[in-house]
DNA sequence: CGCGAAGGTGAGCAAGCGCTTAGGGTGCGG
DNA sequence: CCGCACCCTAAGCGCTTGCTCACCTTCGCG
């Protein structure tokens, strides 16, 4: 599947077609240059429209960012929630969480870059809502680690700090990952899952 | 030492006084809002000058960012080089590298945020130069890890990938660290040093 | 066919941007 | 005391920005 097809699928439930084209164009532009350095003319141009057409579908440029950030954060949270609620040992669930979370950040690194590094550009209300979703993500990972500590599989002196570090490590993949690097998203996910199991002091076979 | 005094000391070798005031003002503004969202009027205002005064000391706004980025990267590289060339076992040197590198990112999180997350705003030439410094940082950390693998103290299947992950973990501290959080820079450094030793499979007493 | 809703355009407004220019203190060597 | 180098300001230039407005097309439906 080509990069363009993947982008289209990712935003499949944004309708109508013109709005979706605007979102995908905005994601690319924001990821390349950052929110503030991107102009509405650039977004509209990439979507094949005049600058004015943008405002038929979105009230402001910030609302476009909010849409992207909202969808992205809910997707990321879903990944972590599914891993937490899965069956298997804490180690298996933590590894699965990291594997899929990291793979998403690598595979959709353009979207992820916007989602993770442009929240400061959101308006106050939108920002607060997104921060809530981020707290939920933190809680999901922390729950898995706490499970592992309870069963004695993990050895973690500072659960909150370690949770923070694990999430931070995974999120930062969006910053450095490049599609033309030598690692595939799957390989990075696998590498990171192993590293995180070590961070929580899991002594099982690797 | 107050936050302001610490900022002044950090940029002590930028002269004359007016230029230093501009740099510290720019660091604060860039860290709060990002490079592109910051205006030259804002920077000059924080430094207590008229907008035109900025251009007596710096040719462009980008040159200010370049100055900040250059000084910051050289400082970070120094920290890692000193740790690599220090004496002690690989584990001690790696722990020291992470401890001081992380503490710097937490203590100077405003500067670090600009240094680590605004390089995309640099002009092409400046960008290339800074990327060179970052490669050197990577090499310094990798050297310590390779030492540990050679002595058998570390167990690292993928040295390049693990180096990348360790640096990524430390750098991202600049994004989430807040001065009014409950952890001190020293505590975060200590926590992270322990986590990194686990990541490289160090089995020594912790 | 007539018509209204939906989705688009070209032109352009007010505001704010990075940066320049002409000129005004201020202090220091001769 | 002069003159000059240095640092600074007020004003503003040319341009780009986010966004609006008057108007045009396309199309499903009675």
């Amino acid at each position: 599947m080509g990069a363009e097809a993947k982008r289209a699928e990712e935003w499949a439930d944004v309708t109508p077609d013109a709005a979706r084209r605007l979102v995908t164009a905005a994601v690319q532009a924001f990821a390349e240059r950052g929110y503030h350095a991107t102009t509405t003319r650039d977004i509209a141009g990439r979507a094949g429209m005049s600058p004015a057409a943008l405002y038929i579908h979105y009230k402001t440029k910030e609302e476009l960012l909010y849409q992207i950030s909202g969808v992205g954060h809910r997707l990321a949270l879903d990944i972590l929630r599914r891993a937490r609620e899965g069956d298997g040992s804490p180690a298996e669930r933590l590894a699965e969480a990291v594997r899929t979370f990291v793979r998403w950040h690598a595979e959709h690194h353009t979207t992820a870059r916007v989602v993770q590094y442009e929240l400061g550009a959101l308006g106050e209300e939108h920002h607060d809502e997104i921060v809530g979703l981020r707290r939920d993500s933190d809680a999901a990972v922390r729950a898995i680690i706490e499970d592992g500590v309870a069963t004695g599989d993990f050895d973690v002196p500072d659960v909150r700090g370690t949770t923070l570090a694990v999430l931070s490590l995974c999120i930062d993949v969006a910053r450095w990952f490049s599609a033309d690097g030598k690692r595939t998203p799957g390989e990075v996910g696998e590498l990171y899952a192993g590293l995180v199991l070590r961070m929580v002091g899991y002594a099982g076979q690797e």
Side-chain angles (χ1 to χ4, degrees), chain A residues 7 10-30 43-44 46-47 49 54 57-58 63-69 71 111 114:
Chain A
R7 267 197 302 277
E10 191 179 2
W11 303 99
D13 47 350
V14 176
T15 52
D17 176 73
R20 180 171 48 252
R21 261 158 48 221
L22 282 169
V23 171
T24 58
V27 166
Q28 284 185 268
F30 291 163
I43 298 170
R46 288 179 197 238
M49 314 184 200
L54 193 152
H57 302 281
Y58 295 93
E63 200 175 77
L64 250 172
L65 177 63
Y66 172 60
Q67 160 102 269
I68 294 165
S69 202
V71 170
T111 302
V114 177

Side-chain angles (χ1 to χ4, degrees), chain A residues 56-134:
Chain A
I56 296 165
H57 302 281
Y58 295 93
K59 274 208 295 282
T60 63
K61 177 176 141 185
E62 191 264 356
E63 200 175 77
L64 250 172
L65 177 63
Y66 172 60
Q67 160 102 269
I68 294 165
S69 202
V71 170
H73 272 94
R74 266 175 275 272
L75 237 104
L77 180 54
D78 265 14
I79 288 174
L80 296 177
R81 285 244 172 94
R82 245 197 298 278
R84 186 195 60 185
E85 290 156 9
D87 41 280
S89 70
E92 282 164 355
R93 282 183 288 138
L94 183 59
E96 181 63 14
V98 170
R99 199 162 24 226
T100 52
F101 193 64
V102 165
R103 197 173 54 216
W104 184 80
H105 277 78
E107 215 149 44
H108 303 87
H109 62 278
T110 31
T111 302
R113 199 124 44 183
V114 177
V115 164
Q116 300 295 356
Y117 294 104
E118 300 288 344
L119 32 165
L122 287 168
E124 199 174 347
E125 254 180 67
H126 290 162
H127 181 86
D128 290 351
E129 185 191 326
I130 298 291
V131 166
L133 292 174
R134 295 176 76 87

Side-chain angles (χ1 to χ4, degrees), chain A residues 142-198:
Chain A
R142 199 172 60 240
I144 306 179
I145 294 182
E146 275 166 351
D147 283 357
V149 171
T151 61
D153 289 343
F154 299 165
D155 166 33
V156 180
D158 179 349
V159 171
R160 294 199 94 95
T162 304
T163 304
L164 185 58
V166 167
L167 267 173
S168 164
L169 182 66
C170 296
I171 284 171
D172 204 48
V173 168
R175 182 178 56 86
W176 60 259
F177 186 86
S178 158
D180 44 64
K182 18 187 181 215
R183 289 165 217 279
T184 66
E187 285 164 2
V188 178
E190 210 54 59
L191 171 67
Y192 270 52
L195 289 172
V196 167
L197 284 185
R198 286 180 165 193

Side-chain angles (χ1 to χ4, degrees), chain A residues 132-144:
Chain A
L133 292 174
R134 295 176 76 87
R135 254 196 288 275
D136 293 347
S137 294
D138 186 89
V141 173
R142 199 172 60 240
I144 306 179

